[in-house]
Amino acid sequence: MNETNEARTVAEQPARGPMSEERARRAPDAPRVDVRETREAFEVVADLPGVDLDGVEVTVEKDVLTIFGRPHLEDPAAYRRVYGRDPASAYRRVFSLGEEIDRDGIRATLERGVLRLTLPKARSVLPRKIEIRAA
Amino acid sequence: MTWQSAFGPHFARDWDPFRALDRAQAGLDAVRGQANDSYAPGFPAVDVWTNETGLVIRAELPGVDPDQLDISVVGDTLRLAGSRPADSLAEGETWLRHERGHGSFERTIRLPFKVEADAVAATFRHGVLEVTVPKAGAEQARKIEVQIH
């Protein structure tokens, strides 16, 4: 499984809620990720603070896996910002998938702003123990 | 000549603690060579908003268990501490990417006013902490009624 910098088409719905124009125009940030390879699968964990189920999208198109998240963060009403910077308008990270991944078996969960993806390895690449029978 | 112009435009403004914090943070980031490095000093990144009633502080803490968060106000200082457990590898597993931070963190923020400590409220939604810090009553602007006898 490799990462690719190539941006592919993802449904880019307009930002929800009041958001500065400058922030809405900004390109999506790359979220921090962990990728772990186990015997049976690849596991991808991405930090998407402020993103809820309505704002997250995981797509697989041919060999490209795209993680996209739109944080549901509005500035507090009737306050003015005095410190910090605008949060991400969106998060996006793109990976290219090898043949070894079982596309239909990909599963995802989202909890406390953390997306967890499990990408099972195809049966053909799983280690197999060959049973030896007495001749 | 006013006293302000004698000291140049720099002193014409009120001292702004948040601007000072910003400068200090920018200095730290420059020294580290990387902005917003998880679990280094300065994590989590915070945003602060204010108005005449108090301020709102927001911190991005994805994956943190809100029960493990410790938010306290002592004097004019708000302290935010917590931790995120490390994911460990089982035998035969490897990291292909390992960018997310883990461990404990602490951040203190000096507040520019006295606080109504009992009225500090916090919410945690989708990995984002938001703390509302109201000014103590005496600090809020008061309208003085003029009594005519």
Side-chain angles (χ1 to χ4, degrees), chain B residues 117-141:
Chain B
D118 292 342
V120 174
T123 60
F124 189 83
R125 292 178 65 238
H126 314 305
V128 177
L129 175 75
E130 200 168 288
V131 187
T132 307
V133 186
K135 281 185 194 176
E139 296 265 319
Q140 290 197 28

Side-chain angles (χ1 to χ4, degrees), chain A residues 46-92:
Chain A
D47 280 341
L48 304 174
V51 175
D52 60 14
L53 272 181
D54 292 340
V56 70
E57 196 174 83
V58 179
T59 56
V60 177
E61 204 180 320
K62 291 182 182 152
D63 62 344
V64 177
L65 169 81
T66 304
I67 294 171
F68 182 81
R70 176 84 73 192
H72 193 50
L73 287 178
E74 291 162 13
D75 284 2
Y79 283 86
R80 69 188 163 85
R81 181 195 293 276
V82 287
Y83 179 71
R85 59 195 172 98
D86 277 353
S89 65
Y91 295 100
R92 174 164 43 208

Side-chain angles (χ1 to χ4, degrees), chain B residues 50-55 75-76 111-117 133-143:
Chain B
T50 187
N51 67 11
E52 61 283 356
T53 65
L55 52 81
D76 63 352
L111 304 168
F113 49 74
K114 287 206 183 76
V115 173
E116 196 73 57
V133 186
K135 281 185 194 176
E139 296 265 319
Q140 290 197 28
R142 280 176 304 168
K143 191 179 173 195

Side-chain angles (χ1 to χ4, degrees), chain B residues 58-77:
Chain B
R58 186 185 278 170
E60 294 183 349
L61 296 167
V64 170
D65 178 354
D67 290 341
Q68 301 297 310
L69 274 176
D70 181 15
I71 305 160
S72 58
V73 178
V74 177
D76 63 352
T77 303

Side-chain angles (χ1 to χ4, degrees), chain B residues 2-53:
Chain B
T2 66
W3 66 270
Q4 281 181 344
S5 62
F7 292 98
H10 179 70
F11 282 90
R13 270 202 313 270
D14 282 341
W15 183 70
D16 180 344
F18 294 113
R19 197 174 292 275
L21 191 61
D22 222 353
R23 271 200 299 270
Q25 186 64 52
L28 280 176
D29 290 342
V31 168
R32 277 206 310 274
Q34 189 188 2
N36 192 25
D37 200 16
S38 274
Y39 302 82
F43 179 89
V46 295
D47 292 291
V48 183
W49 291 264
T50 187
N51 67 11
E52 61 283 356
T53 65

Side-chain angles (χ1 to χ4, degrees), chain A residues 99-120:
Chain A
E99 282 303 312
E100 72 271 26
I101 288 170
D102 168 15
R103 310 296 201 259
D104 298 328
I106 299 175
R107 297 285 175 267
T109 62
L110 180 69
E111 190 187 15
R112 291 178 188 147
V114 176
L115 178 75
R116 289 177 186 272
L117 286 173
T118 306
L119 303 100

